[in-house]
Amino acid sequence: MRRPRPLSPLREHLRDTFWFTPAVGLVGAIALAAVVLALDNLLIEVLQDDGEYGTVRSLIKIAEDTKTIVTTVGSAMLTFIGVVFSISLVALQMASGQFSPRVVRLYVRSRITKCTFAVFLATFLFALLVQTSYEGDADPRTVSTVPVISSLTCVVLVLVSLVLFIAYVNSTIRLMRVSHVVDRITHEAFRVLDRYEYGSGDAPVLPEAVAEAAHQGRAGVLRDVHIARLVRIARRNDAVLRLVPRIGDFVVPGTPVLAVHGGTEPSRRALRHTMTVGVERTYHQDPAFGLRQLSDIALRALSPAVNDPTTAVQCLDRITQFLAAVADRPLGVLHHRDTKGVVRLVQELPAWTDLVDLGFSEIRGCAEGNPQVSRRMMAALDDLWWLADEERRVPLARHRTLLVQAVERTVPEAADRAFALLPDRQGIG
């Protein structure tokens, strides 16, 4: 993989919105209509200049034949959009109620969903623009435009819409399946790991903090920081900036968010727009958010109202996969360096113990009375035990001990206790 760059979070912010891609689609429809209608005008002018009036008459007949299609598309596409997406939102609501409300983010970030919506709207707008270009003049000598190319383009857009509709339905149905949901969450979590794979090194000795910058915006969850901009600010002030809260923390106005070590304190204006605060956490720079969602899905599956331990086992599969991937990686603190290799920004990340606790603590508390879950968790702890070094085995041993104690406390029969504590990667076979 190529080395990721600490770019602005703008791209991720746009992925978390649903308006940008459809807006681009509408602008593209206007531009495409302008181009193809200009080509129609140019084609007729060239044919009339060459005296090809028979060809112009044939094009007029073709345009009249396709006019019905264009008119139908213009009148039916918007209704089709409303019906399709209304049904999809109902299905999405059912999925969020069954798994977790945070799975709505998967729908919003889905590229196929946004592209489908954008193409549907673009087709509708394009059809309306083409309809305005039809003329009542059927004389090949005096007609100024015949929308042949634009009509054929509209037909092509309809075919593309149908293909995207099939892909969209398939994507929406997959979003209602728990296996696909946990796979998507895990994929997003690994994308965050790829961002943080580079840049960690020996921890520098930081001088005493000379100042602290307080949060001045609205209260909310710290979604991400503009790493490149903070590094440039620290380099200009010959300082080292340390991010006080972790990504995903809730910050309120007045709380310190940046500590300045050495150099001079950056101005408040320079630090403006270096952090983004929102109403919920995002995947962009939050390596623990994926585990949080997997844990939420597992907890809801183990609730008495749902009682679906198999879903909890699937979540444990992915939690184990994620923890196995970070078992030998440096965690805890990330150092961002400038072009000369000097550390300019220090960012705290979840440590190994934090991730293990996030992945297992709450699920372990609900594993009592569910041997399928306890057996899978025992197998997960065994697998991670062999992957982790001596120091990182401490939280694994603690969770194993607590799980054994919980089963011994709640399961009266010795045979049932032995069965519930037998490691099994499938839960129960």
Side-chain angles (χ1 to χ4, degrees), residues 25-167:
L26 292 176
V27 174
I30 296 174
L32 180 62
V35 171
V36 295
L37 290 176
L39 292 176
D40 284 327
N41 293 337
L42 180 61
L43 176 62
I44 297 302
E45 291 178 2
V46 171
L47 292 177
Q48 289 176 342
D49 292 341
D50 294 341
E52 299 288 341
Y53 299 113
T55 305
V56 175
R57 187 176 292 107
S58 300
L59 292 178
I60 293 175
K61 292 181 180 180
I62 295 175
E64 289 297 327
D65 293 337
T66 58
K67 183 178 180 180
T68 304
I69 299 176
V70 175
T71 304
T72 304
V73 171
S75 60
M77 183 59 74
L78 192 59
T79 303
F80 181 67
I81 293 173
V83 172
V84 169
F85 280 88
S86 297
I87 297 175
S88 301
L89 290 178
V90 173
L92 181 65
Q93 184 177 8
M94 295 176 59
S96 64
Q98 181 179 359
F99 304 135
S100 171
R102 277 153 290 280
V103 302
V104 177
R105 177 175 297 277
L106 300 179
Y107 181 86
V108 174
R109 291 173 61 89
S110 173
R111 290 187 176 92
I112 188 64
T113 300
K114 295 178 182 179
C115 290
T116 302
F117 194 42
V119 172
F120 282 5
L121 291 177
T123 304
F124 168 72
L125 180 58
F126 186 85
L128 294 183
L129 296 176
V130 172
Q131 289 182 49
T132 61
S133 66
Y134 281 95
E135 297 181 357
D137 189 2
D139 189 350
R141 298 178 180 274
T142 59
V143 67
S144 60
T145 181
V146 178
V148 176
I149 300 178
S150 54
S151 299
L152 295 178
T153 304
C154 185
V155 173
V156 172
L157 286 177
V158 172
L159 296 177
V160 173
S161 299
L162 293 177
V163 173
L164 286 176
F165 173 68
I166 297 174

Side-chain angles (χ1 to χ4, degrees), residues 272-283:
R272 189 182 304 172
H273 306 305
T274 57
M275 300 184 184
T276 306
V277 174
V279 296
E280 61 180 346
R281 297 166 67 175
T282 64
Y283 289 106

Side-chain angles (χ1 to χ4, degrees), residues 324-398:
V326 300
D328 58 348
R329 297 194 184 193
L331 298 172
V333 178
L334 186 67
H335 305 104
H336 301 281
R337 305 173 185 269
D338 59 15
T339 55
K340 297 181 179 180
V342 179
V343 174
R344 294 299 183 184
L345 177 63
V346 178
Q347 179 183 359
E348 182 181 357
L349 297 178
W352 167 256
T353 301
D354 299 327
L355 296 176
V356 172
D357 291 341
L358 177 58
F360 291 131
S361 294
E362 295 172 308
I363 301 177
R364 191 195 68 243
C366 297
E368 302 174 1
N370 290 284
Q372 184 178 357
V373 179
S374 61
R375 288 161 63 98
R376 180 63 186 98
M377 186 172 292
M378 291 293 290
L381 293 172
D382 288 348
D383 292 339
L384 294 174
W385 178 274
W386 295 110
L387 294 174
D389 56 25
E390 192 66 30
E391 182 180 356
R392 294 191 173 186
R393 289 178 176 177
V394 175
L396 300 176
R398 172 167 53 85

